[in-house]
């Protein structure tokens, strides 16, 4: 416990511990409960509080008595299933229950979002939060760069991560997009050295990187949605600014003119974020803009990630994004379809 009364909660095996305890595990310090108030930093309790008005939060919300009963029933079911499983002694029972439960979640999400209707199957990856999902986006860019570099002697390229709607998306989005830690502990319970949820995106100290990111050249550029003069939403002007920055980054790629396997090569990859919707209800940039730009600079060089966190869009929009080959991020920490802040 620190001077503020915050305590970290250790993860217990599957099905053990109370539901309230399990609700505070598998994340980071944002879920820590203050022993003095029994609330986390968002003033949310892991216990039902039916006598309060639920204002909601973009990060978490109070659990209702009804949902607590459902969760408790599921917890008991997991324990009973663990006892009933007849397996070899070398098999981890918790792993089996974990796999069964997650496969059920994946199928329900796929059915709800209509992913079976897609012409090309889409994969679902579960993560602790939308901010954590940013790491996966950057990892995909790293893998793309590695694949493009196959057969080259040496690489001098970098990854450009373009964050749209700066200030109207998650506070740690830019930091995570750059491969930096966002918390002093990981979802698995281990400590991060140098991580801070309040650190800026320009912290380039070696120890602040997530393992595996420190040797990669990643530049994060943030674009604001609104004019600094009158606060109006920037439309075509913003898209042109984004396009010019991406063209500049990918214009440095000269490997097409070089003989493979000889000399140094610039293998640059760009990630463009589309936001649907921002915390003020803005969608930017448009899908059509991203598609045109990708056709211009190359499908293999530009990856598009659509921030659909809180799912403030119709399932058909999500399906359209996936059909276009765009990655999508959704969260349900508040509730699906929750209104933007206005």
């Amino acid at each position: 416990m620190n001077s503020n009364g915050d305590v970290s909660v250790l993860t217990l095996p599957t099905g053990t511990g109370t539901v309230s305890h399990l609700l505070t595990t598998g994340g980071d310090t944002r879920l820590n409960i203050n022993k003095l108030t029994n609330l986390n930093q968002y003033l949310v309790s892991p216990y039902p509080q039916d006598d309060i008005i639920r204002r909601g939060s973009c990060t978490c919300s109070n659990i209702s008595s009804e949902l607590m009963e459902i969760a408790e029933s599921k917890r008991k079911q997991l324990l009973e299933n663990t006892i009933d499983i007849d397996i070899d002694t070398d098999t981890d029972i918790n792993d089996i229950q974990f796999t069964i439960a997650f496969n059920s979640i994946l199928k329900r999400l796929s059915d709800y979002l209509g992913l079976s209707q897609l012409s090309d199957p889409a994969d679902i990856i579960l993560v602790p939060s939308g901010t954590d999902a940013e790491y996966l986006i950057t990892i995909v860019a790293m893998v793309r760069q590695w694949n493009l570099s196959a057969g080259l002697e040496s690489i001098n390229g970098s990854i450009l991560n373009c964050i749209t709607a700066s200030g109207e998306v998650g506070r740690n989005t830019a930091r995570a997009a750059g491969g930096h830690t966002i918390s002093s502990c990981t979802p698995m319970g281990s400590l991060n050295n140098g991580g801070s949820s309040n650190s800026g995106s320009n912290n380039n100290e070696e120890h602040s990187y997530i393992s595996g990111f420190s040797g990669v050249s990643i530049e994060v550029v943030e674009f604001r949605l609104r004019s600094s003069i009158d606060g109006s939403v920037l439309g075509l002007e913003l898209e042109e600014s984004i396009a010019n920055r991406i063209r500049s980054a990918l214009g440095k790629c000269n490997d097409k003119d070089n003989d493979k396997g000889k000399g140094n090569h610039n293998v640059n990859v760009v990630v463009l974020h589309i936001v649907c919707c921002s915390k003020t209800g803005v969608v930017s940039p448009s899908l059509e803009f991203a598609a045109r730009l990708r056709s211009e600079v190359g499908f293999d060089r530009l990856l598009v990630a659509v921030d659909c966190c809180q799912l403030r869009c119709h399932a058909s929009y999500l399906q359209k994004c996936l059909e276009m080959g765009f990655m999508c991020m959704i969260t349900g920490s508040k509730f699906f379809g929750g209104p933007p802040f206005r």
Side-chain angles (χ1 to χ4, degrees):
M1 182 173 70
N2 60 27
S3 59
N4 295 321
D6 294 331
V7 293
S8 295
V9 184
L10 297 177
T11 303
L12 296 177
T14 303
T16 62
T18 65
V19 170
S20 294
H21 175 87
L22 294 174
L23 288 175
T24 65
T25 65
D28 50 51
T29 53
R30 290 173 290 181
L31 295 180
N32 286 359
I33 300 300
N34 187 303
K35 222 174 183 181
L36 303 179
T37 63
N38 206 29
L39 304 173
N40 62 24
Q41 69 183 61
Y42 302 99
L43 304 181
V44 171
S45 170
Y47 307 96
Q49 293 183 309
D50 295 330
D51 58 337
I52 65 172
I53 298 175
R54 295 183 181 84
R55 296 176 58 207
S57 162
C58 194
T59 299
C60 59
S61 57
N62 285 284
I63 187 170
S64 66
S65 296
E66 179 184 6
L67 290 180
M68 178 64 85
E69 291 178 6
I70 295 174
E72 175 62 18
S73 175
K74 182 63 178 178
R75 185 185 71 86
K76 290 180 178 179
Q77 181 185 343
L78 287 172
L79 283 174
E80 293 172 357
N81 291 345
T82 299
I83 297 173
D84 292 338
I85 291 180
D86 182 17
I87 57 174
D88 298 333
T89 55
D90 292 337
T91 306
D92 191 325
I93 297 177
N94 289 322
D95 284 348
I96 292 178
Q97 287 301 301
F98 183 87
T99 301
I100 293 174
F102 266 55
N103 284 342
S104 173
I105 293 173
L106 294 176
K107 185 181 186 307
R108 288 162 57 199
L109 279 174
S110 179
D111 292 343
Y112 175 77
L113 298 173
L115 301 189
S116 60
Q117 304 172 22
L118 301 178
S119 58
D120 191 23
D123 295 318
I124 300 176
I125 301 176
L126 300 178
V127 293
S129 70
T131 309
D132 289 283
E134 285 293 341
Y135 292 125
L136 292 180
I137 301 298
T138 303
I139 289 173
V140 171
M142 292 164 60
V143 172
R144 174 64 60 84
Q145 185 186 45
W146 184 82
N147 287 336
L148 291 171
S149 305
L152 299 181
E153 226 172 52
S154 58
I155 309 166
N156 291 327
S158 62
I159 294 172
L160 175 66
N161 216 324
C162 298
I163 306 297
T164 314
S166 174
E168 299 190 27
V169 291
R171 182 181 61 179
N172 285 309
T173 296
R175 185 169 175 81
H180 291 279
T181 56
I182 59 173
S183 176
S184 59
C185 73
T186 70
M188 298 301 292
S190 59
L191 296 178
N192 278 325
N193 294 321
S196 171
S197 60
N198 295 316
S199 298
S201 59
N202 294 324
N203 184 351
N204 290 316
E205 296 179 14
E206 184 75 15
H207 63 255
S208 72
Y209 282 101
I210 290 289
S211 176
F213 284 84
S214 60
V216 183
S217 176
I218 305 173
E219 180 183 4
V220 178
V221 178
E222 300 180 73
F223 295 88
R224 291 195 169 273
L225 281 175
R226 301 178 182 280
S227 167
S228 58
I229 300 176
D230 59 10
S232 60
V233 175
L234 301 173
L236 295 178
E237 180 182 348
L238 173 62
E239 292 186 347
E240 188 60 29
S241 177
I242 294 172
N244 288 337
R245 185 65 183 83
I246 292 176
R247 291 184 187 117
S248 175
L250 296 182
K252 299 175 184 176
C253 300
N254 300 316
D255 52 286
K256 290 183 179 180
D257 301 323
N258 295 327
D259 294 328
K260 285 217 168 191
K262 297 181 181 180
N264 296 325
H265 299 266
N266 291 320
V267 181
N268 299 336
V269 173
V270 176
V271 178
L272 170 62
H273 284 68
I274 295 176
V275 179
C276 178
C277 301
S278 74
K279 291 182 179 180
T280 55
V282 179
V283 178
S284 179
S286 68
L287 297 182
E288 292 70 26
F289 162 78
R292 289 195 305 270
L293 187 59
R294 189 177 59 169
S295 297
E296 175 189 334
V297 301
F299 281 65
D300 56 345
R301 301 288 183 179
L302 179 60
L303 299 172
V304 181
V306 187
D307 184 345
C308 297
C309 292
Q310 305 308 330
L311 205 59
R312 298 184 182 117
C313 60
H314 195 274
S316 59
Y317 180 89
L318 190 70
Q319 294 165 8
K320 181 178 180 180
C321 293
L322 294 171
E323 288 283 14
M324 296 173 74
F326 298 167
M327 297 175 283
C328 296
M329 296 177 285
I330 64 172
T331 61
S333 50
K334 182 178 180 181
F335 53 87
F336 285 147
F341 299 101
R342 295 184 183 275

